């Protein structure tokens, strides 16, 4: 069985899913760490800013 990291590496490397918001969800729900996000995407994870709407 593959780990979450292995599956995400496949999505990035082989399937070409380079939508950073897809991988952000995994960090936000605690499935991967910010360091793992960077390992997969090559980009530092910046905590998203939530702007309240009125």
């Amino acid at each position: 069985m593959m780990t979450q990291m292995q599956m995400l590496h496949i999505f990035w490397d082989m399937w070409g899913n380079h939508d950073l918001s897809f991988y952000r969800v995994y960090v936000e729900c605690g499935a991967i760490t910010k360091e793992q996000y960077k390992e997969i995407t090559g980009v530092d994870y910046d905590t998203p800013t939530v702007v309240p709407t009125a």
Side-chain angles (χ1 to χ4, degrees):
M1 181 184 269
M2 285 194 286
T3 67
Q4 189 71 57
M5 280 291 292
Q6 290 170 325
M7 288 190 298
L8 293 176
H9 270 291
I10 288 172
F11 293 161
W12 184 271
D13 296 331
M14 299 175 95
W15 294 0
N17 182 356
H18 297 158
D19 179 4
L20 297 177
S21 63
F22 174 82
Y23 301 93
R24 280 186 181 280
V25 172
Y26 287 88
V27 176
E28 292 168 7
C29 71
I32 63 172
T33 66
K34 292 177 183 180
E35 292 77 20
Q36 290 171 319
Y37 174 91
K38 184 172 183 174
E39 179 184 330
I40 295 167
T41 65
V43 177
D44 286 329
Y45 178 85
D46 295 322
T47 304
T49 304
V50 177
V51 178
T53 57

